[in-house]
Amino acid sequence: MNHESVQNNSAYILDVTNLGIDFGGLQALDDFNIQVKDREIVGLIGPNGAGKTTIFNLLTSVYQPSRGNIQVTGRSTKGKTPHEVSQFGIARTFQNIRLFKNISVIDNVKIALHNGMKYSMLSAILRLPSYWREEKAATKLALELLAVFNMQDLADQPAGSLPYGAQRRLEIVRALATNPKVLLLDEPAAGMNPSETAELMSTIRDIRDQFNMAIVLIEHDMSLVMGICERILVLNYGLIIAQGTPEEIKNSPVVIEAYLGQQRGE
Amino acid sequence: MTFLYQLINGIQIGSIYALVALGYSMVYGIVMLINFAHGEIIMIGSYITWYVMSQMGLHPAIAILAAILFCALFGALIEKVAYKPLRKSERLSLLITAIGISLLLQNTAQLIFSANPRMFTNIFAGSIQIGSRQFSNATFVTIIVSVLIMIGLTLLVNKTKIGKAMRAVSEDNDAAQLMGINVNHTITFTFSLGSALAAVAAILYCCSYAQIQPTMGSMLGLKAFVAAVLGGIGSMPGAMIGGFCIGIAESLTKGYISSQLADAVVFGILIVVLLIKPTGILGRHISEKV
Amino acid sequence: MKKEGLLNKTWFRYILNAACILLLFGLISILVSSGVVNRYQAMILIPVGYNIILATSLNLATGFLGQLPLGHAGFMSVGGYASALFSMAVDWPAAIEFPVALLIGGLVAAVFGMIIGLPALRLKGDYLAIITLGFGEIIRVIILNLKFTGGAFGLRGIENHTTLTSTFVWVVISLFVIFALIKSRHGRAIIAIRENEIATESVGISTTYYKMVAFSVSAFFAGIAGGLCAHYLTLLNAGDFGFMRSVEILVMVVLGGMGSIIGSVVAAIVLTLLPELLRGFSEYRLIIYSLLLVIMMIFRPSGLFGRYDFSLSNSLLKIKGKITNSSRKKGATHHES
């Protein structure tokens, strides 16, 4: 690793140092470091309760960290609200799906295109040309994004009526619509069958190539993690216990111990 | 002397607010609902006592017992009929239902008892001379009874099995269920307990203010709710502290500024609290799980 | 699949709707001027009008934003007093004075909305309901204690400016502005907050900002309605804008359907006319309203219209579809028999 690039923040899309958070005196996460380069796919694995989703919540400012620094595309997220951090170029999906259930699939995507449109409230109320132009462009873009997952035909359905797998995919489309530089996927394959998972795997790669973004994903499905991640971090009890390529992780005794210990414990 | 007089009056009305605020706070802690109908329980308790005592001519002790029992049952009934069917629906629906129930009770009472105020005979007649001022016995009874009830309630919540169940359900509904706690029973019990406290508050209130009418509960209830928010909603010691603070603030406003502005001051306090410390004096921060 | 036909063209839809509005206005004018609707009946149409504005504006905050303000009547009274005091102070031609007075009423209400909304909307949960309720009460007490608002005697001698035409115009403006706002990126942000606040933030939308927008627009139109009301009644009483008035507006929104503009319009019309049409209704009015709230929430929380929003062109398309379908069916049954 080039030492100079460590000093220069802009070399990384996501630069996290010494991150930690306490809940009620309990250390939920400590000394977490991660540097993600452009177009990298990184996996975050670990037993339940290891603190994976907490990391996503910290990266997106849903929680404020007790310690450490987070830089998204070179800008510190300290004291920023989730919507401000989103505008830095980070987008996420949620473990427990959080769609806008009662509104149409296409409007779910168009809501995420909000900052891509610029027309003012007055232009909207007076229906000025900028309103028509940008709305038309947004609809077109939303349909294109839905087409990534072949969902353009579902555009007019209420999001809540979609099957589970489709809802997970719609969450990804919605995240893409904010035009992020780094995409956080929280268990994207949860509840999917093996063939759906395989399809998802290739789509995630396509997304990276088509949209040029880094992807960090939390996943329990090892076939997916080992299949697409270039680098994997293993978390247990709020600490990184191992990191490396899928090959290295597969053979790491610490990781095996953590998972087996967990299984014995259950 | 005026200051002491207003202060004691403030503590008196404050202890009534505290009793009512406890009901709001317990219910909020357990089902996350501002039970707007809670104020109407005060009104119902007052009318029951008045009816048994003045219309049926029975002994005040029987009237008090009847009011407490009726309110406890009625509180549970409201929960069963109106809130339970909506436990899984959106919070907005639950809140609107609570407002509906509150108005329904108020207007039904108006239909039954008419809007004219009724005179309530003071159970604790007589007064004590302190310095140059007269203090009615009711004032001291109110303060003493309220303090005793608060001590009892604190013991109940901290020492008994049902008290532990209440705390567990307000902490985490689902987890409590998994631990074998009967969540439905606990919720019903909380509503009953809160309503019984409201009945006691009603009787104490009526002994000092003599008049009862169908709309009496709404303003009293609202101020008690403000007290609950001030103390930290969901916290029982908070409700007590909040009650006393609001009572004293109101009494001092009446004494030194203007009695018409007392209500405005109470709501002003609410807005200031929410601006500076939304969790109230003793409230915990509840964050949504992401 | 590309949809063809005039009814699918946006510009045609707008022209069609504008034509229908003009037609409706013409119809009302003819009915009034020809005497089919007498003067008294025509006057009821003015409260119907400002109640439509009140219900739809509350719906913006309740149905679309998902918050429950309980002080809508408070905003109405602030707007009413502000616009009345203005029109009493200046002596301009009515054609200029009245619209300006209404706008001032709306703006003052909106500013109050922002002041109230700022502390309340940052918080999760039901604090907004309580704060707005408290606000309504504070406003009432303050107006009662001020000299220039006429105190307990009420504000008298307000010029009678509100006509059927001006009410109609303002109803159309309010409905169009709220509709146009909802069907834009700004309105989608407001609806997104109702659906899921955390997700809304996560896609880069400031929930605090859009809560404030929805809340102050809602207060603005309540203020406009207050101004119309003031210049119709020609006197204002702080007591008329208490909690019960706010609840009445809420009943309209709940009955019509939270999130349905057409629902609010229909419910406002029905609930304003009902006490006038049914004698004895007013005696039980409050009981019926409160029962309505409870029953609607338990059995039909989406209201009569759900989140359905009426679109003339879509309805016409549906009717057209039904006609072609049924004629096809008829043809089919003929074949079978």
Side-chain angles (χ1 to χ4, degrees):
Chain A
M1 194 184 280
N2 186 337
H3 189 74
E4 264 177 38
S5 68
V6 178
Q7 303 268 305
N8 180 5
N9 298 321
S10 58
Y12 297 112
I13 293 293
L14 186 64
D15 190 342
V16 178
T17 44
N18 302 321
L19 192 66
I21 186 170
D22 306 331
F23 290 127
L26 237 72
Q27 247 180 25
L29 184 77
D30 198 33
D31 201 23
F32 180 80
N33 294 283
I34 188 173
Q35 278 77 34
V36 181
K37 277 180 290 190
D38 203 6
R39 296 169 53 85
E40 201 179 5
I41 301 182
V42 180
L44 211 54
I45 64 170
N48 282 325
K52 304 181 299 287
T53 298
T54 304
I55 293 172
F56 277 15
N57 285 335
L58 286 166
L59 295 182
T60 52
S61 264
V62 173
Y63 300 154
Q64 284 296 324
S66 313
R67 301 170 286 286
N69 282 305
I70 303 167
Q71 292 209 322
V72 176
T73 56
R75 280 165 287 188
S76 168
T77 68
K78 200 178 177 87
K80 299 288 180 206
T81 59
H83 76 265
E84 287 167 328
V85 177
S86 155
Q87 288 166 12
F88 289 174
I90 195 164
R92 71 177 290 187
T93 65
F94 295 90
Q95 191 181 345
N96 46 342
I97 302 171
R98 286 178 176 274
L99 286 171
F100 309 119
K101 283 193 183 140
N102 294 306
I103 44 189
S104 66
V105 165
I106 189 160
D107 275 353
N108 267 267
V109 183
K110 282 175 85 178
I111 286 168
L113 290 170
H114 182 86
N115 290 318
M117 292 181 259
K118 292 288 171 248
Y119 66 83
S120 69
M121 224 168 293
L122 198 66
S123 319
I125 289 166
L126 299 176
R127 289 294 193 250
L128 295 183
S130 60
Y131 165 84
W132 296 110
R133 196 176 55 238
E134 292 181 22
E135 280 290 321
K136 206 173 157 188
T139 306
K140 189 164 162 273
L141 183 55
L143 286 172
E144 281 170 17
L145 288 168
L146 283 169
V148 171
F149 283 103
N150 273 321
M151 291 174 74
Q152 63 275 39
D153 293 338
L154 299 170
D156 293 328
Q157 307 275 325
S161 72
L162 298 183
Y164 189 74
Q167 292 197 11
R168 284 219 169 276
R169 287 190 285 268
L170 178 55
E171 266 213 329
I172 300 178
V173 175
R174 185 179 67 184
L176 288 177
T178 63
N179 193 20
K181 287 278 158 238
V182 53
L183 177 63
L184 312 178
L185 302 177
D186 201 340
E187 300 196 22
M192 288 187 184
N193 63 36
S195 80
E196 281 180 312
T197 307
E199 203 185 311
L200 177 73
M201 199 145 79
S202 76
T203 318
I204 290 176
R205 255 193 228 108
D206 289 349
I207 288 171
R208 189 263 310 264
D209 296 337
Q210 194 183 334
F211 297 93
N212 278 319
M213 60 180 67
I215 294 172
V216 180
L217 58 92
I218 294 173
E219 189 49 68
H220 285 296
D221 187 307
M222 284 306 144
S223 69
L224 185 127
V225 177
M226 297 298 166
I228 58 171
C229 294
E230 288 141 10
R231 193 150 61 92
I232 295 170
L233 274 75
V234 189
L235 224 66
N236 200 10
Y237 295 114
L239 290 167
I240 298 176
I241 55 168
Q243 56 180 315
T245 63
E247 268 320 298
E248 290 164 355
I249 295 298
K250 245 181 245 176
N251 304 319
S252 158
V254 204
V255 178
I256 293 164
E257 169 59 28
Y259 270 86
L260 288 180
Q262 170 81 7
Q263 267 170 15
R264 235 181 275 138
E266 277 175 3
Chain B
M1 198 60 211
T2 315
F3 179 75
L4 185 70
Y5 178 73
Q6 296 297 351
L7 189 68
I8 291 180
N9 276 340
I11 293 173
Q12 180 202 359
I13 187 73
S15 45
I16 290 168
Y17 289 152
L19 288 180
V20 182
L22 280 167
Y24 273 114
S25 219
M26 285 191 300
V27 165
Y28 192 92
I30 217 154
V31 286
M32 299 293 277
L33 163 75
I34 303 173
N35 182 13
F36 276 95
H38 196 60
E40 269 51 55
I41 299 285
I42 305 169
M43 178 270 294
I44 291 171
S46 308
Y47 271 99
I48 297 283
T49 320
W50 166 79
Y51 190 81
V52 174
M53 211 162 62
S54 304
Q55 302 300 109
M56 294 167 68
L58 295 176
H59 191 271
I62 298 173
I64 292 173
L65 210 65
I68 293 175
L69 268 176
F70 187 86
C71 285
L73 286 175
F74 203 76
L77 182 74
I78 292 175
E79 195 275 323
K80 277 272 179 300
V81 174
Y83 300 153
K84 202 176 164 203
L86 288 165
R87 213 176 280 164
K88 295 266 176 268
S89 53
E90 286 171 51
R91 289 166 57 102
L92 203 61
S93 311
L94 204 59
L95 202 60
I96 292 172
T97 311
I99 293 169
I101 291 288
S102 157
L103 292 173
L104 185 63
L105 295 176
Q106 217 178 89
N107 289 295
T108 312
Q110 200 138 324
L111 215 59
I112 299 173
F113 299 109
S114 91
N116 299 331
R118 310 282 176 151
M119 293 312 287
F120 191 98
T121 342
N122 184 357
I123 303 171
F124 313 107
S127 62
I128 302 166
Q129 176 96 16
I130 300 178
S132 59
R133 293 272 195 170
Q134 294 273 344
F135 288 94
S136 81
N137 284 350
T139 303
F140 297 105
V141 172
T142 301
I143 296 171
I144 293 164
V145 168
S146 306
V147 170
L148 287 178
I149 285 180
M150 288 175 210
I151 294 170
L153 201 63
T154 311
L155 290 176
L156 177 93
V157 169
N158 289 317
K159 303 282 179 211
T160 63
K161 204 175 156 200
I162 184 79
K164 279 176 190 155
M166 280 167 67
R167 280 187 295 153
V169 174
S170 69
E171 199 69 41
D172 188 334
N173 207 324
D174 296 326
Q177 187 127 36
L178 289 176
M179 304 283 284
I181 290 169
N182 189 329
V183 173
N184 278 334
H185 279 183
T186 314
I187 293 176
T188 309
F189 179 79
T190 310
F191 271 87
S192 292
L193 186 62
S195 304
L197 292 177
V200 176
I203 296 159
L204 295 171
Y205 179 83
C206 293
C207 284
S208 293
Y209 297 90
Q211 276 191 354
I212 59 173
Q213 58 195 100
T215 50
M216 64 182 280
S218 51
M219 208 14 106
L220 187 59
L222 272 175
K223 285 187 202 162
F225 180 79
V226 173
V229 174
L230 172 63
I233 193 112
S235 149
M236 294 190 31
M240 300 177 204
I241 295 171
F244 287 119
C245 289
I246 292 292
I248 292 167
E250 187 190 274
S251 182
L252 292 181
T253 312
K254 278 184 178 161
Y256 290 100
I257 306 170
S258 145
S259 61
Q260 280 169 313
L261 285 179
D263 293 354
V265 166
V266 170
F267 286 111
I269 291 176
L270 173 74
I271 292 175
V272 172
V273 170
L274 291 183
L275 266 174
I276 297 168
K277 195 169 187 300
T279 48
I281 298 170
L282 294 178
R284 298 168 298 163
H285 184 71
I286 306 166
S287 63
E288 194 179 350
K289 200 163 184 268
V290 180
Chain C
M1 200 170 65
K2 187 93 179 158
K3 288 171 193 156
E4 292 295 338
L6 268 183
L7 283 171
N8 284 316
K9 299 267 190 243
T10 318
W11 61 267
F12 184 74
R13 289 176 168 218
Y14 278 74
I15 289 173
L16 187 70
N17 285 324
C20 284
I21 289 165
L22 284 176
L23 211 66
L24 180 66
F25 181 66
L27 192 72
I28 294 174
S29 308
I30 289 168
L31 284 177
V32 174
S33 63
S34 68
V36 176
V37 174
N38 66 33
R39 249 186 81 78
Y40 167 73
Q41 287 164 332
M43 287 319 258
I44 300 174
L45 289 178
I46 292 175
V48 167
Y50 61 69
N51 279 339
I52 289 176
I53 300 179
L54 287 168
T56 23
S57 59
L58 180 63
N59 204 347
L60 179 62
T62 302
F64 293 101
L65 180 65
Q67 300 278 339
L68 186 61
L70 294 176
H72 214 56
F75 293 124
M76 184 191 177
S77 74
V78 168
Y81 273 94
S83 72
L85 288 169
F86 175 80
S87 76
M88 286 164 84
V90 300
D91 200 15
W92 298 352
I96 303 167
E97 183 187 295
F98 187 43
V100 174
L102 287 181
L103 285 176
I104 286 176
L107 288 174
V108 170
V111 168
F112 272 89
M114 283 181 205
I115 296 170
I116 300 302
L118 210 56
L121 292 170
R122 286 186 315 152
L123 306 168
K124 292 237 159 53
D126 312 323
Y127 291 102
L128 184 81
I130 293 296
I131 283 203
T132 47
L133 206 170
F135 158 75
E137 292 302 314
I138 293 176
I139 282 295
R140 202 171 52 84
V141 172
I142 289 176
I143 291 176
L144 276 175
N145 284 290
L146 285 178
K147 276 235 166 59
F148 66 90
T149 54
F153 298 108
L155 190 60
R156 283 156 194 281
I158 307 166
E159 290 152 65
N160 186 354
H161 282 322
T162 309
T163 60
L164 203 51
T165 311
S166 56
T167 311
F168 191 87
V169 169
W170 280 101
V171 168
V172 172
I173 292 175
S174 314
L175 290 180
F176 184 77
V177 168
I178 291 173
F179 168 84
L181 183 65
I182 286 302
K183 307 272 179 198
S184 76
R185 72 181 183 112
H186 307 288
R188 280 193 298 266
I190 291 168
I191 295 171
I193 294 171
R194 173 192 78 196
E195 294 289 310
N196 196 315
E197 246 183 278
I198 290 175
T200 309
E201 277 278 332
S202 87
V203 296
I205 295 170
S206 167
T207 51
T208 315
Y209 175 74
Y210 277 104
K211 279 180 185 175
M212 287 298 284
V213 166
F215 195 60
S216 35
V217 171
S218 167
F220 175 83
F221 283 109
I224 296 276
L228 287 168
C229 174
H231 293 89
Y232 162 69
L233 297 175
T234 67
L235 81 154
L236 284 174
N237 248 320
D240 296 340
F241 303 101
F243 179 55
M244 276 319 299
R245 189 79 182 86
S246 298
V247 169
E248 250 175 76
I249 307 167
L250 179 66
V251 173
M252 292 171 189
V253 172
V254 168
L255 186 67
M258 288 183 273
S260 164
I261 294 177
I262 184 73
S264 292
V265 173
V266 172
I269 295 172
V270 171
L271 290 183
T272 318
L273 292 182
L274 217 54
E276 303 288 339
L277 297 178
L278 293 179
R279 236 178 263 167
F281 179 83
S282 35
E283 195 182 330
Y284 296 97
R285 196 175 55 125
L286 295 175
I287 291 203
I288 293 170
Y289 282 2
S290 44
L291 265 177
L292 262 178
L293 283 181
V294 179
I295 291 170
M296 292 298 287
M297 283 303 111
I298 296 179
F299 296 105
R300 199 170 161 76
S302 52
L304 295 179
F305 286 82
R307 285 187 175 125
Y308 169 78
D309 256 319
F310 180 73
S311 144
L312 187 64
S313 334
N314 284 347
S315 313
L316 286 176
L317 280 173
K318 253 186 211 158
I319 293 167
K320 208 171 110 192
K322 271 206 184 125
I323 293 168
T324 37
N325 262 343
S326 61
S327 59
R328 250 185 239 144
K329 261 187 203 157
K330 264 186 199 157
T333 40
H334 265 291
H335 262 290
E336 278 165 29
S337 59

